[in-house]
């Protein structure tokens, strides 16, 4: 690259919830100006949820509710524009919000009238969340005298046409991102892009899946060979457990890419599961920071990590899962059976999370069970099938897990009164994963956290 490598800084929805939050994000960017920031921002908190709810109403013909349900978030956008820019200078920003509101109204009408076009229309609608927040943030920077320019992410992120969960084409995305953003970086102008949004080769708007702005940041970071990809959020880094379940969870100072990927995949919402892959390929460190406590160093994710003597780094969990068990004597000594079984899930585009096998049965867990009826009809041709809904997965993660005796015994004795199924230790030996009934998940995570990170067990000097 003909200029120094930039730093990617991604700010999540809670980091831009109101005018004060926008001001403090602008301050954080200003403090890093010499590192050539490239900024990615999510929609203001609540905006994507409100847009989805509004589209749902429109789909069901409740047009008045569909429009009314956006009033509060749109009002919040106008208020931010007035508060950060001053009433006399907010005209252009407010005109953008009004124009977005009018376009959204037209899209709601089409969602109601053209059901087969649902998915592309919804993506078009959702993109306004990120387009408006990035416009406001670029203006907040300019107001501070910093050269910031909104850039449409559809110019950079090229995806397939799987609306709602589009997959990027990496080579084209990298080339487009370099071509579009290099001139800004060279001129020391800070590009501000909405995350989550991309476009197909024919220019249709797509989105990368809920929470996908982290993934946008990683893709852009990899394309620009950034010095670091920073994910700024509302907690200080990756914590030893979900703080909504374990309020005493502590910040983990260091994680390997693999540890972070396992935690993200198995429920640590702080990182979108796809964020780590582009970072690994580019060898780029990922740092998770708190936009409300910018001086704290947060969590650094990179290739090297210290394995702490305590071994367990964190406990992630994910509820709302379904487990499926297929039993068939045809499995005994046969080849091709597992392929036939997984092809069923592939045909129905359904991802499988955890898999365990015995001589005559295969058990697996599913996050998205929307295609389950069709899947079951096909699985029944392979063997007898048992389905259990309302399951949760708990994933205990740490690089040293595979070569430290006694961890599994300690995990299962801590929750010995709770029925455990689907036990799996990944090939990488850095996680121990198992399923339980969803209603026990908070209790189990709390007890496991106490066992591994409680006062008597705390690692000296915090969690490395
Ligand atoms: P953003 O809007 O910044 O993308 P998210 O809501 O997507 O933020 O992710 C941050 C939230 O993730 C935290 O507020 C926390 O409640 C949740 N979370 C779940 N598990 C963890 C964990 N292990 N460490 C940190 N946060 C976690
Ligand atoms: N705004 C999108 C969402 O709420 C993407 C993101 O925040 O990462 O899912
Ligand atoms: Mg997020």
């Amino acid at each position: 690259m003909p200029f120094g490598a930039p730093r990617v800084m991604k700010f999540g929805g809670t980091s831009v919830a109101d005018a004060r939050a926008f001001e403090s994000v602008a301050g954080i960017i200003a403090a890093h100006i010499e590192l050539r920031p490239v900024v990615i921002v999510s929609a203001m908190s609540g905006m994507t949820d409100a847009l989805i709810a509004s589209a749902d109403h429109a789909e069901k013909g409740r047009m008045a509710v569909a429009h009314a349900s956006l009033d509060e978030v749109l009002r919040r956008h106008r208020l931010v524009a007035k508060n950060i820019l001053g009433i006399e200078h907010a005209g252009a920003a407010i005109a953008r919000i009004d124009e977005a509101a009018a376009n959204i109204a037209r899209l709601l009408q089409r969602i109601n009238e053209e059901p087969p076009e649902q998915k592309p229309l919804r993506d078009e609608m959702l993109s306004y969340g990120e387009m408006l927040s990035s416009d406001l943030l670029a203006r907040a920077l300019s107001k501070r005298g910093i050269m910031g320019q909104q850039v449409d992410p559809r110019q950079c992120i090229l995806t397939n046409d799987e609306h709602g969960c589009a997959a990027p084409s990496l080579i084209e995305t990298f080339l487009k991102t370099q071509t579009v953003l290099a001139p800004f970086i060279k001129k020391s102008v800070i590009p501000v892009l909405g995350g989550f949004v991309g476009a197909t080769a024919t220019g249709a708007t797509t989105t990368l899946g809920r929470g996908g702005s982290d993934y946008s940041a990683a893709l852009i970071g990899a394309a620009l060979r950034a010095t670091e990809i920073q994910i700024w959020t509302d907690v200080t880094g990756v914590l030893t457990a979900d703080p909504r379940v374990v309020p005493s969870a502590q910040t983990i100072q260091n994680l390997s890419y693999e540890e972070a990927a396992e935690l993200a995949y198995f429920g640590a919402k702080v990182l979108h599961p796809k964020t780590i892959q582009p970072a690994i390929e580019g060898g780029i460190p990922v740092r998770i920071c708190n936009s409300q406590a910018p001086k704290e160093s947060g969590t650094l994710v990179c290739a090297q990590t210290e394995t702490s003597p305590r071994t367990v780094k964190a406990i992630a969990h994910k509820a709302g899962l379904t487990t499926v068990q297929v039993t068939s004597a045809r499995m005994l000594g046969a080849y091709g059976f597992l392929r036939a079984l997984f092809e069923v899930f592939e045909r129905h585009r359904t991802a499988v999370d955890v898999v365990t096998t015995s001589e005559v049965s295969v058990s697996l867990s599913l996050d998205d069970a929307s295609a389950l009826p069709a899947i079951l009809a096909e699985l029944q041709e392979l063997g007898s099938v048992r389905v259990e809904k309302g399951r949760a997965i708990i994933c205990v993660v740490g690089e040293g897990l595979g070569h430290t005796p006694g961890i599994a015994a300690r995990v299962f004795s801590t929750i010995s009164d709770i029925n455990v199924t689907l036990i799996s230790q990944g090939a990488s030996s850095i996680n121990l994963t198992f399923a339980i009934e969803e209603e026990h998940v908070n209790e189990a995570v709390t007890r496991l956290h106490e066992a591994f990170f409680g006062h008597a067990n705390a690692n000296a000097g915090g969690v490395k």
Side-chain angles (χ1 to χ4, degrees):
M1 213 131 308
F3 47 81
R7 170 151 307 184
V8 167
M9 303 177 77
K10 176 261 169 178
F11 296 89
T14 46
S15 302
V16 289
D18 54 26
R20 259 186 56 195
F22 269 95
E23 298 281 15
S24 78
V25 164
I28 293 169
I29 297 168
H32 289 80
I33 202 122
E34 77 288 0
L35 298 172
R36 291 174 287 277
V38 169
V39 174
I40 317 294
V41 63
S42 293
M44 282 177 66
S45 71
M47 177 64 163
T48 308
D49 286 343
L51 289 166
I52 292 172
S54 172
D56 289 346
H57 287 305
E59 188 189 343
K60 299 198 173 85
R62 301 190 289 259
M63 297 310 288
V65 194
H67 292 291
S69 62
L70 292 173
D71 287 349
E72 191 273 330
V73 277
L74 290 171
R75 189 187 53 78
R76 204 146 43 88
H77 281 77
R78 292 186 184 98
L79 200 64
V80 167
K82 285 182 197 148
N83 285 345
I84 54 180
L85 303 169
I87 295 192
E88 64 285 13
H89 296 114
I94 289 178
R96 284 283 301 267
I97 299 165
D98 292 342
E99 188 192 318
N103 289 338
I104 291 169
R106 276 192 283 278
L107 288 164
L108 286 172
Q109 201 56 43
R110 289 187 58 197
I111 285 175
N112 178 249
E113 288 164 2
E114 303 169 43
E117 289 303 307
Q118 277 296 315
K119 286 186 167 179
L121 291 171
R122 277 172 182 258
D123 274 353
E124 185 81 38
M125 205 175 136
L126 291 189
S127 69
Y128 282 102
E130 271 65 14
M131 288 307 290
L132 289 180
S133 62
S134 51
D135 180 59
L136 288 169
L137 185 53
R139 290 178 198 274
L141 290 176
S142 304
K143 175 80 194 315
R144 279 184 165 247
I146 297 168
M147 287 200 295
Q149 169 83 53
Q150 185 191 31
V151 176
D152 189 331
R154 286 169 286 209
Q155 293 177 13
C156 298
I157 301 207
L158 181 81
T159 72
N160 66 7
D161 63 358
E162 197 161 325
H163 288 281
C165 195
S169 315
L170 291 185
I171 293 174
E172 288 87 343
T173 293
F174 286 4
L175 283 173
K176 277 162 136 328
T177 301
Q178 287 159 6
T179 311
V180 171
L181 298 185
F184 290 98
I185 301 167
K186 240 192 273 178
K187 285 187 283 177
S188 299
V189 175
I190 300 177
V192 183
L193 296 94
F196 181 52
V197 175
T200 64
T202 57
T205 301
T206 52
T207 57
L208 305 178
R210 291 306 306 267
S213 297
D214 297 343
Y215 190 27
S216 304
L219 290 167
I220 287 170
L224 299 174
R225 297 187 203 102
T227 47
E228 194 167 282
I229 298 163
Q230 295 186 337
I231 307 290
W232 290 80
T233 185
D234 61 348
V235 287
T236 303
V238 181
L239 306 176
T240 45
D242 185 336
R244 292 164 296 185
V245 174
V246 183
S248 62
Q250 309 149 35
T251 297
I252 306 163
Q253 292 167 8
N254 283 283
L255 284 171
S256 67
Y257 287 129
E258 288 74 17
E259 289 171 330
E262 296 286 352
L263 288 171
Y265 191 70
F266 287 107
K269 185 177 173 243
V270 66
L271 264 190
H272 186 278
K274 293 183 184 160
T275 313
I276 295 299
Q277 197 53 38
I280 294 183
E281 280 163 23
I284 303 168
V286 177
R287 190 182 290 279
I288 296 95
C289 313
N290 188 345
S291 58
Q292 288 147 27
K295 294 221 160 66
E296 293 181 12
S297 58
T299 300
L300 182 65
V301 183
C302 55
Q304 300 301 324
T305 179
E306 299 158 47
T307 47
S308 75
R310 293 280 174 192
T311 313
V312 171
K313 288 270 191 78
I315 301 158
H317 72 277
K318 188 153 87 166
L321 306 184
T322 302
T323 59
V324 177
Q325 189 180 56
V326 183
T327 308
S328 168
R330 277 168 53 198
M331 265 182 85
L332 264 180
Y335 48 85
F337 185 88
L338 286 178
R339 195 197 58 203
L341 188 129
F342 285 110
E343 274 175 359
V344 174
F345 292 93
E346 192 186 333
R347 269 196 294 284
H348 295 283
R349 304 173 88 87
T350 296
V352 169
D353 285 345
V354 184
V355 183
T356 60
T357 60
S358 75
E359 292 290 300
V360 289
S361 73
V362 180
S363 298
L364 38 86
S365 73
L366 307 177
D367 204 342
D368 172 9
S370 52
L372 197 59
I375 290 172
L376 290 183
E378 291 188 34
L379 288 182
Q380 269 145 8
E381 288 171 22
L382 295 173
S384 69
V385 184
R386 203 172 84 209
V387 174
E388 278 165 336
K389 299 205 161 140
R391 313 296 291 182
I393 277 181
I394 295 181
C395 182
V396 177
V397 172
E399 283 282 358
L401 218 77
H403 39 86
T404 310
I407 300 284
R410 192 144 163 228
V411 166
F412 295 124
S413 64
T414 304
I415 52 165
S416 59
D417 52 335
I418 296 173
N419 190 31
V420 168
T421 56
L422 254 181
I423 301 168
S424 141
Q425 178 155 25
S428 57
S429 298
I430 65 160
N431 74 76
L432 177 64
T433 306
F434 52 89
I436 62 172
E437 276 177 29
E438 191 173 66
E439 60 185 16
H440 301 304
V441 71
N442 288 3
E443 168 73 19
V445 170
T446 305
R447 272 202 241 159
L448 288 168
H449 193 270
E450 182 57 29
F452 286 99
F453 304 100
H455 293 306
N457 297 296
N459 294 320
V463 183
K464 295 269 174 62

